Amino acid sequence: MNRTPLLFLNVFIIATCGLIYELLAGTLSSYVLGDSVTQFSLIIGIYLFAMGVGSWLSRFIEKHIAEKFVEIELAVAVLGGFSAPLLFFAFAKLSYFSVVLYGVVFGIGTLVGLEIPLLMRILKDELDFKDLVSRVLAFDYIGALVASLLFPLFLVPKLGLARTSLLFGMLNAAVGIWGTWLLLPLIKKNVNLLRVQGFIIIGLLLIAFIKADYLTSLAEDALFTDNIIYAKSSPYQRIIVTKGKTGYALFLNGNLQFNSFDEYRYHEALVHPAFAALNANPKRILVLGGGDGLALREVLKYPSVESVMLVDLDPEMTRLSKNLPVLAELNKNAFEDSRVSVVNADAFVWLDNTEIAPFDVAIVDFPDPNNFALGKLYTTRFYNLLKAHLKPDSAVAIQTTSPLIARKSYWCIIKTLEAAGFSVKPYQTTVPSFGIWGFALAKLEPFETPKKLSENIERKFLNEQTFVSMFDFSADTSLPKDEEIEINRLDNQSLVRYYEAEWRRFE
Amino acid sequence: MKFTRREILTAFLGLPFALSACKSNSETSSIDGEIVGASANIGHILRENRNVEVPANNWENLKVAIIGGGIAGLSAAWKFTRENFNDFVLLELESAIGGTARSGKNNFIGYPWGAHYLPVPFKENTELISLLDEMNLTEGKSQNGEILIKEQFLCREPEERVFYKGRWYEGLYLRVGASQEDLRQLNELNKQVDFWVNWRDTRGKRAFVLPIANCSNDAEVTDLDKITFADWLKQKGFTSERLIWYCNYACRDDYGLRLEQTSAWAGLFYFCSRVRKSGAESQSFITFPEGNGKFVNFLHNKVKDKTRLKSIAIEIIPNEKGIDITYLNTETNEIRGIHAEKVIFAAPIFTAKYLIRDFKQNTPDFVKEFEHNAWFVANLFLKDRPKNQFAKDFPLAWDNVLYESNSLGYVNATHQKGIDYGQAVFTYYFPMAEKGGRAKLFSLDWQELADIVLSDLSMAHKDIRALTERIDFMRWGHAMISPRRNFIWNGSREKATKPFRNIHFAHSDLSGIALFEEAFFHGLRTVSEILIAEPAGSGR
């Protein structure tokens, strides 16, 4: 049997796999660490250098070249195949992620660098040098082209990063196992042991690939249509950041919090009406929730603002918004602003226990009330606690879920605010990622619906016309006339029940 | 006599439970804790000091001495102060005031050691409402004159959940898997409750209402006391296992008794006395992290200068001039005496035979009718709350009940404060409904008690041992009066409520049911009895 053509097929597969790992590492690191130019540049540099190291090291392999080749294939299968899941895991769990990242890249590069020289040495007896070099390198570069085309067009959109790396790990392992037959005459050692190892590795990769849906991080890969670039479970919630065609998105416990392509609509609508409803210059601002820092970004646009206190439950969330490049870029490094102070506490408990000078504006940006712990943040008790931290003229803006999808929930919050003694102007706007979204503008004294936005503040979405129209409600979002809506209190948590019933229809 | 781990777990948690728990680890070495309060050697002190002499200059003269600083005694003291009568003291044998309503506190939160809620009283209970007003718990009245309690003091939702076969479900009645027949019987029970809620005697009195003194004594109702609640349910054709469980839980929770031990009158009282009118929800619960300790501390603050802690009454001696009380300060070991005109005996009735001289020699028959049951309460200090095992498990509630356990489950102290993350204090309740329960309870050491609690809870919370940093225990040898069959309406309460030679009895025992409202009622009743004879303002 002439095994030469089949060995060239090996070269092709090896080359494809090698470039895939490189692309995976580059993509993943630019997702999570930001600054893709630097990341790709570093990854390619380290990877190529490591390949050089591998090639150089190949000279120290003198005997059992065929066995060594198979073993290296299996090692690449393990390290490369599990690289993406491993790096996701490392990013979520370890603070020295970059060490792991570059270590993995260097490791894969070195092993891949060993492959071609060894193969060439195996083939050297069958071809003359001119043919050998031209064919091996040609297949190598063809493999690279195929990888670079497959990766963005098919692999990332269809399989996601984690399963792409597992799939190519299996290919590497297959090359190794196949090698035990192809190179059988050259193998002196126990060939069965190599095969068993190979099948175990391919089996593990296959299990990981199939069971992907059951493994949390990989399950999320399937759940989210976009790629996960950050995943971490804090004691309070599961935080996921994804990157897709439309931009970056943040999910808390699987619920979308924003998408970077239209979040400005949401956050401008949340923040600017409260400032417009204020008679005096806003100085002291309270932001409850909003750990993504995007409401903060809008608040900080007002030059009169002297201090902003942000109270968010989860230190992991505020840390991430400050440190994850894609988030920090999006919130314009709001957490670096000296006017901002962050308190990590449950806003309910914080309001209850904290005596502090009253605020001019309060922006309330909690996740939707889909559980009791969140439901309490929409009760008369909560709004009464908030009241105690306001001045008579202060303005409050609150995100209040969708008046279209959760109409009763929306109006339950409005009624609850009124029951707590607020004068309320409900308003809504369209945020494509969410649909029709509702807010409440509230003050402690009766007030006219504001018509003019503050001047000289940069806005992408709100202009005078949209601003005025936000306070109009269509027939299908306005207060239901024939249904009685309960006030949300701590001792009934009606809102959580409304919300669950209304959103369940869409599950 | 020492028991093996299996014997102890079997005795407390049942055999199947013990068998599976025994396989689990019994590790408690990383957990701190102690058995607190209720000193067991008080009996000894009483016996040793039977014939003590009070030094002549240790006597004082007072109009009234209140014996016992539980809710009854504290309520009486509070009422005296409100009526501007100040010539009294209150003697409490423990170092902490409050009896079974007392609470503890760490640097994080308060937690109960016993009673932990009060249903919102009906508008007719004006005395109790005046206390709630004074405590600033109320915010006006509804259109029909019922009192409105501030939201933050009403038990926050979710109120209850129940753990059954590995999962947590909402509510106390187990709805999951209930058959048509189960639901029909539940509906039937509600109809029975409705019947008694609507029932009025010829004088217009309700069958079941708080305080019990206002209940009808018509035979149609009081005859219910002659059978057990278990028999009543049987007679009415109730067979649904989950319904029987529900009623049994009610008896264990409120009375520390099983269904077969509880009077049917008391069983129905539980269901009917807190329902305003037919079809209405049961009255909401007023609660605090520290439970009824909130009331204890409020009342105590009002009468602090009148209370003497660690003051154990040794003898109460009625004589021609009034009553002499001898007591021992357990801190200084000093024997003191009070010449009083009246005594409010606000201690459990069974102690009367050890304290009142006449009763020692000739104990009235009714005294032995007052039987008490034992409980233990554990406070578990957790560094974090247990994780639900299934996403669909109903979340941590205020009251968390284990369907398959002999315990009553636990109450979460942080719930009412809106603290939903991080450290927590769970108060775990275990009624010793069986005969000999008291002796068994006092034979156990901390290690053994901790093992019972952790083995029980680990069925629902696999991580409980790792999360628990400390467990403290309170053993209540005489936690509450037992409303067993044929006690409440057999005449004993009536006899015990009558003053004996200027000694006025005030204790929830006299109602046959250990509830805050009853203790409060009797405390105030004795004050009016005394103040009618001794008009307010005449005190020094």
Side-chain angles (χ1 to χ4, degrees), chain A residues 376 380-381 489-491 497, chain B residues 151-152 157 170 418 420:
Chain A
K376 74 173 182 237
T380 38
R381 174 63 181 160
R489 292 163 51 96
L490 280 179
D491 58 323
R497 300 179 206 280
Chain B
E151 178 179 1
Q152 63 268 39
E157 278 287 292
E170 182 174 13
D420 291 321

Side-chain angles (χ1 to χ4, degrees), chain B residues 169-186:
Chain B
Y169 300 98
E170 182 174 13
L172 192 53
Y173 177 82
L174 185 67
R175 284 191 180 270
V176 65
S179 67
Q180 286 296 312
E181 177 58 17
D182 286 327
L183 294 175
R184 188 199 65 76
Q185 292 196 19
L186 178 65

Side-chain angles (χ1 to χ4, degrees), chain B residues 312-355:
Chain B
I312 173 167
I314 292 166
E315 196 165 26
I316 298 168
I317 312 148
N319 53 39
E320 303 75 43
K321 282 175 280 175
I323 305 172
D324 289 346
I325 300 113
T326 59
Y327 69 97
L328 167 77
N329 182 312
T330 53
E331 194 168 28
T332 61
N333 268 329
E334 201 181 10
I335 306 282
R336 303 190 63 92
I338 298 171
H339 298 300
E341 290 175 17
K342 311 255 183 187
V343 159
I344 293 180
F345 190 93
I349 298 303
F350 80 93
T351 62
K353 65 177 182 279
Y354 304 116
L355 292 175

Side-chain angles (χ1 to χ4, degrees), chain A residues 58-339:
Chain A
S58 70
R59 70 200 297 256
F60 296 102
I61 298 172
E62 285 168 8
K63 283 183 279 182
H64 310 303
I65 297 173
E67 291 96 320
K68 284 288 180 310
F69 174 74
V70 171
E71 282 167 359
I72 286 164
E73 280 314 300
L74 296 182
V76 175
V78 172
L79 193 59
F82 286 108
S83 65
L86 174 76
L87 290 174
F88 275 131
F89 182 79
F91 189 63
K93 301 283 174 195
L94 305 175
S95 44
Y96 44 92
F97 167 72
S98 42
V99 178
V100 178
L101 170 70
Y102 300 127
V104 167
V105 169
F106 188 85
I108 298 173
T110 308
L111 291 168
V112 171
L114 280 163
E115 287 171 327
I116 300 295
L118 290 183
L119 255 186
M120 286 172 83
R121 281 163 64 186
I122 290 168
L123 287 163
K124 75 174 192 305
D125 300 335
E126 298 173 33
L127 291 167
D128 58 69
F129 186 69
K130 183 182 67 180
D131 262 3
L132 180 65
V133 172
S134 88
R135 290 208 213 165
V136 166
L137 290 185
F139 278 105
D140 190 16
Y141 292 127
I142 292 168
L145 175 69
V146 170
S148 63
L149 290 175
L150 274 181
F151 188 74
L153 296 178
F154 173 76
L155 298 169
V156 173
K158 294 284 181 223
L159 292 179
L161 295 182
R163 266 169 300 180
T164 297
S165 89
L166 291 165
L167 178 69
F168 282 84
M170 284 188 274
L171 276 178
N172 264 124
V175 167
I177 294 166
W178 187 20
T180 60
W181 272 281
L182 264 183
L183 306 171
L184 192 57
L186 302 173
I187 294 175
K188 308 276 174 340
K189 278 203 304 197
N190 187 351
V191 71
N192 288 330
L193 183 68
L194 280 175
R195 284 175 186 167
V196 168
Q197 284 171 350
F199 281 111
I200 289 174
I201 288 164
I202 211 166
L204 288 175
L205 287 161
L206 189 65
I207 289 168
F209 188 85
I210 293 167
K211 291 278 176 182
D213 290 344
Y214 300 100
L215 304 169
T216 327
S217 63
L218 301 181
E220 280 157 358
D221 217 16
L223 189 71
F224 300 101
T225 46
D226 295 337
N227 284 301
I228 295 170
I229 61 166
Y230 182 88
K232 183 159 187 176
S233 289
S234 78
Y236 307 101
Q237 54 203 349
R238 179 105 182 123
I239 304 171
I240 306 270
V241 181
T242 66
K243 182 185 188 302
K245 285 194 209 78
T246 54
Y248 295 94
L250 170 71
F251 294 82
L252 298 180
N253 292 334
N255 300 310
L256 178 65
Q257 303 299 306
F258 72 78
N259 189 308
S260 62
F261 99 93
D262 63 358
E263 59 75 20
Y264 63 93
R265 285 183 147 245
Y266 173 93
H267 290 102
E268 286 187 13
L270 173 67
V271 171
H272 297 292
F275 283 80
L278 213 62
N279 298 322
N281 262 340
K283 291 195 178 111
R284 287 174 54 75
I285 317 296
L286 177 65
V287 179
L288 300 175
D292 53 28
L294 300 175
L296 214 48
R297 175 193 67 203
E298 297 301 317
V299 166
L300 292 170
K301 286 179 180 172
Y302 290 83
S304 67
V305 168
E306 288 169 3
S307 69
V308 191
M309 176 150 281
L310 181 131
V311 182
D312 190 276
L313 178 63
D314 194 348
E316 199 53 54
M317 188 62 240
T318 46
R319 190 191 67 78
L320 185 69
S321 306
K322 187 179 177 181
N323 297 331
L324 190 70
V326 296
L327 292 188
E329 201 176 314
L330 211 50
N331 64 39
K332 296 222 167 90
N333 292 306
F335 290 93
E336 309 283 357
D337 194 301
S338 60
R339 291 172 287 174

Side-chain angles (χ1 to χ4, degrees), chain B residues 355-421:
Chain B
L355 292 175
I356 301 170
R357 179 168 282 181
D358 311 52
F359 282 20
K360 281 184 189 173
Q361 290 139 8
N362 192 6
T363 310
D365 285 345
F366 65 78
V367 172
K368 69 171 188 331
E369 293 287 323
F370 289 79
E371 288 180 12
H372 294 75
N373 53 64
W375 288 56
F376 79 83
V377 178
N379 271 300
L380 290 86
F381 302 85
L382 310 178
K383 60 183 171 208
D384 197 359
R385 40 207 77 210
K387 298 259 174 307
N388 273 355
Q389 287 172 43
F390 299 96
K392 290 243 156 106
D393 269 350
F394 195 74
L396 185 61
W398 174 61
D399 194 8
N400 304 272
V401 175
L402 311 171
Y403 189 95
E404 291 132 319
S405 167
N406 285 338
S407 77
L408 295 171
Y410 61 89
V411 170
N412 170 18
T414 63
H415 181 82
Q416 196 61 21
K417 283 297 278 178
I419 300 170
D420 291 321
Y421 307 96

Side-chain angles (χ1 to χ4, degrees), chain B residues 465-508:
Chain B
R465 278 176 208 269
L467 293 173
T468 306
E469 291 181 321
R470 181 184 180 89
I471 313 179
D472 287 341
F473 292 95
M474 182 80 80
R475 296 179 297 196
W476 297 109
H478 301 267
M480 51 170 73
I481 186 78
S482 302
R484 61 190 204 289
R485 186 178 69 86
N486 208 14
F487 165 64
I488 292 187
W489 294 100
N490 75 356
S492 309
R493 297 188 305 119
E494 211 179 341
K495 285 178 200 146
T497 307
K498 288 212 180 80
F500 172 81
R501 298 189 66 183
N502 289 321
I503 302 171
H504 296 254
F505 295 92
H507 196 273
S508 59

Side-chain angles (χ1 to χ4, degrees), chain A residues 337-450:
Chain A
D337 194 301
S338 60
R339 291 172 287 174
V340 174
S341 46
V342 174
V343 177
N344 290 116
D346 186 322
F348 185 96
V349 180
W350 185 83
L351 286 174
D352 198 6
N353 294 342
T354 310
E355 283 199 31
I356 192 166
F359 295 90
D360 298 306
V361 172
I363 305 294
V364 184
D365 189 17
F366 296 127
D368 275 8
N370 62 10
N371 64 43
F372 294 111
L374 286 167
K376 74 173 182 237
L377 304 172
Y378 295 83
T379 55
T380 38
R381 174 63 181 160
F382 180 82
Y383 295 133
N384 275 310
L385 288 173
L386 178 60
K387 234 159 75 175
H389 291 79
L390 300 176
K391 298 172 182 169
D393 181 47
S394 302
V396 181
I398 305 168
Q399 94 80 4
T400 47
T401 194
S402 170
L404 180 65
I405 293 171
R407 192 171 171 187
K408 276 178 99 169
S409 307
Y410 177 82
W411 290 100
C412 168
I413 303 171
I414 304 295
K415 294 234 161 244
T416 304
L417 272 164
E418 285 170 348
F422 281 96
S423 179
V424 188
K425 307 285 180 206
Y427 65 100
Q428 53 77 37
T429 193
T430 305
V431 183
S433 297
F434 295 160
I436 306 283
W437 211 256
F439 304 87
L441 177 61
K443 293 185 77 167
L444 289 171
E445 48 202 28
F447 66 108
E448 286 293 312
T449 306

